[in-house]
Amino acid sequence: MFMKVYEYYIQPDKEQEYLRIQQKAADIYSRHIDLHSIHLKSKDEPSKWMEITRYSNEEEYKKSIELINQYKEIQELFKEFQSLLVPEKSEIREEDFVVVKERKTF
């Protein structure tokens, strides 16, 4: 399994716009790739968010993302997303991970 982790800071008064953009982007992504995504908001710092998305493998992700990034709508959604970032913390941190072990206990 392959995972992408993003960390960024959203202006607190723009959260609903952020969630709307994420839903629209997810609709586009889901047409091309199987994924599971979770969005986390920090309890300690209200503007800090983390997005963790799981894909079946890195090769499928890379192939699909090339196609997805060509969509004009995705490019526009990304620009909208960037406008929601806290101006003095506008960097988007991104990391790639490989799942070594996963366990579910319920």
Side-chain angles (χ1 to χ4, degrees):
M1 236 178 275
F2 176 67
M3 300 188 76
K4 297 287 288 184
V5 177
Y6 300 93
E7 185 181 293
Y8 40 78
Y9 294 82
I10 300 292
Q11 299 172 51
D13 63 331
K14 305 288 185 182
E15 287 180 13
Q16 291 307 310
E17 291 174 60
Y18 162 75
L19 294 171
R20 178 191 56 80
I21 289 168
Q22 290 297 338
Q23 184 58 55
K24 284 186 169 187
D27 292 344
I28 294 169
Y29 271 67
S30 66
R31 287 185 234 149
H32 300 283
I33 190 167
D34 184 32
L35 60 89
H36 176 78
S37 192
I38 186 169
H39 299 263
L40 308 170
K41 179 180 172 183
S42 173
K43 289 177 69 174
D44 298 326
E45 191 169 347
S47 63
K48 184 177 180 179
W49 288 75
M50 185 174 279
E51 176 182 340
I52 303 170
T53 307
R54 181 178 64 207
Y55 303 92
S56 59
N57 63 65
E58 187 173 2
E59 294 75 31
E60 182 182 340
Y61 165 79
K62 286 181 177 181
K63 186 170 51 173
S64 299
I65 201 69
E66 276 189 41
L67 177 64
I68 292 166
N69 283 340
Q70 292 176 21
Y71 279 66
K72 183 176 178 162
E73 186 178 5
I74 281 290
Q75 295 168 15
E76 290 170 358
L77 287 170
F78 185 67
K79 286 179 187 175
E80 283 183 60
F81 168 77
Q82 288 178 306
S83 76
L84 305 179
L85 297 172
V86 173
E88 56 277 359
K89 295 181 179 181
S90 61
E91 180 183 356
I92 301 168
R93 200 172 130 261
E94 174 182 344
E95 288 188 71
D96 296 346
F97 292 88
V98 176
V99 176
V100 176
K101 183 176 181 175
E102 183 175 18
R103 176 180 24 210
K104 292 183 183 181
T105 56
F106 295 115

